[in-house]
Each structure stands twice: as C-alpha cells, then as structure tokens.
Amino acid sequence: SVNFTLTQMGRATLTRDAVRPMVGLGAKHMLAQGIKRTGDFDDALLAQWLPVLLDHYEAHLGSDSPPFDGLLDLMASLDARGVKMAVVTNKYERFAVKLLREIGMLDRFQCVIGGDTMGPGKAKPDRAPMDEMARRCGLSDPKRAVFLGDSIYDVMAAKAAGMRSIAVSFGFLHQPIEELGADAIVDHYDEVLPLFTK
C-alpha cells in the first residue's frame, strides 16, 4: 500500500526490506516515512495521500498474511484450556476485523478493540482499550490477563492496566526487545504456554 501510494504520487517505490522498519507505528507514520525517503515532505502532502494508502490497504487486507509459526497451535491449546482471547490493536477497528475475517480467525476472539474504538487519543499506550477488552471478556481482575505484543505501546498499555505482558521478538520492533520492559520475552509462540502457569 505504501508503494501503491508512492506510485500514484509519481515517486519511486521502496523495497520490502526498506518498508518493514516503517511498519508498526501506524499507517500515517509509515506513509510519512515513505514520502520522506522518496522526496519532499510536508504535512499537507501526507494528509492528501493518506486516504489513498488507507483505501488500498483496506481493499487488500488479508492477502499474503499468514500467521506467525506456532500461533495456531498456541491458540488451540488456549482454547482447550478455556482461555478467552481478544485483540487490542492500534489498527482501525474496521481494518482489524476485516483482516481477521479474511484469514479466518475472527471467530477465535472474544472481541476486537481497535485504535479508534475508544475515541480520539484513547489508543495504546493509553489503558482505556485494555480496560475495555477486560470488560468485554468478563475479566474483573486485570492481573489474570496476559498481553502479547511487540511494541513499547503494548507493554506500556498492559502495565497501565495492571496486566502481565509478553513481548514477542519476531514482530515489528523499533527498539531492542529487552528495552520494552515486558514481564517476559519469547522468540517463538511455543514458548508462551509455559508462562501461563508461572
């Protein structure tokens, strides 16, 4: 979607390796980085082209989006133990729901909370989406929740809500994983389940 937008702007495209570090802090950040890497940048240009990126992104959600290795096995094990699973993301809720539906995983989750679900300024690292997730899952004690993520926003939101956090080292990291301050770090989803018993 970044390269589609850059092409529409008449700019050069970027390699997959160049785009990957831009992912994880939102579409606006990603496009801003793409524009800066390929020519002049200003806020008006970003505002003009962001809707083009978002439209393309929404139209292609779910394509080439396999789950990380071990995720489906972990989810099956959690299901078997009666663990409720939910998604809290800073991706717009409609995008998250569509993506999960396209890859056949939407029904696996109790709820999906997006970056816009709670209103302006209430996305992670704010605790509001975490509190709403706990409420929708019927969780009265946040200490019983475990939140998996790959960003400082994930860890900060979990801590603010009184939840344990697990950082995955294979996501879209923007700093060394050890600096996130998570309660645990995993390199593969098969390392997650034993942490639930600790």
Side-chain angles (χ1 to χ4, degrees), residues 108-171:
R108 306 287 297 272
F109 297 102
Q110 187 81 15
C111 64
V112 178
I113 309 291
D116 57 339
T117 302
M118 305 306 296
K122 294 293 184 181
K124 297 177 298 182
D126 194 283
R127 67 176 288 169
M130 308 296 279
D131 291 337
E132 179 64 9
M133 178 271 295
R135 186 190 69 76
R136 292 188 191 184
C137 290
L139 190 63
S140 57
D141 181 3
K143 291 185 178 68
R144 294 184 59 215
V146 178
F147 192 75
L148 279 75
D150 64 357
S151 79
I152 189 65
Y153 294 161
D154 295 328
V155 175
M156 289 172 66
K159 285 183 182 298
M163 299 176 182
R164 292 174 290 163
S165 60
I166 299 174
V168 297
S169 65
F170 46 87

Side-chain angles (χ1 to χ4, degrees), residues 67-142:
F68 282 105
D69 187 46
L71 175 61
L72 297 180
D73 290 338
L74 172 62
M75 292 178 73
S77 295
L78 294 174
D79 277 337
R81 288 165 172 76
V83 175
K84 293 178 182 176
M85 292 175 280
V87 172
V88 179
T89 176
N90 280 355
K91 190 185 303 295
Y92 290 167
E93 182 179 327
R94 73 180 191 274
F95 292 163
V97 168
K98 181 176 180 183
L99 173 60
L100 292 168
R101 182 181 295 117
E102 291 293 323
I103 63 174
M105 295 179 71
L106 183 60
D107 294 340
R108 306 287 297 272
F109 297 102
Q110 187 81 15
C111 64
V112 178
I113 309 291
D116 57 339
T117 302
M118 305 306 296
K122 294 293 184 181
K124 297 177 298 182
D126 194 283
R127 67 176 288 169
M130 308 296 279
D131 291 337
E132 179 64 9
M133 178 271 295
R135 186 190 69 76
R136 292 188 191 184
C137 290
L139 190 63
S140 57
D141 181 3

Side-chain angles (χ1 to χ4, degrees), residues 20-43:
R20 184 174 171 82
M22 301 175 188
V23 176
L25 297 177
K28 188 174 182 180
H29 169 82
M30 189 168 55
L31 181 58
Q33 296 304 306
I35 294 173
K36 289 174 183 177
R37 300 271 305 266
T38 58
D40 294 337
F41 172 85
D42 61 54
D43 289 336

Side-chain angles (χ1 to χ4, degrees), residues 155-196:
V155 175
M156 289 172 66
K159 285 183 182 298
M163 299 176 182
R164 292 174 290 163
S165 60
I166 299 174
V168 297
S169 65
F170 46 87
F172 294 102
L173 297 168
H174 292 272
Q175 64 194 98
I177 190 79
E178 296 79 15
E179 292 179 6
L180 298 183
D183 297 307
I185 297 170
V186 296
D187 298 318
H188 190 280
Y189 277 120
D190 63 10
E191 298 172 21
V192 172
L193 198 59
L195 297 174
F196 275 74

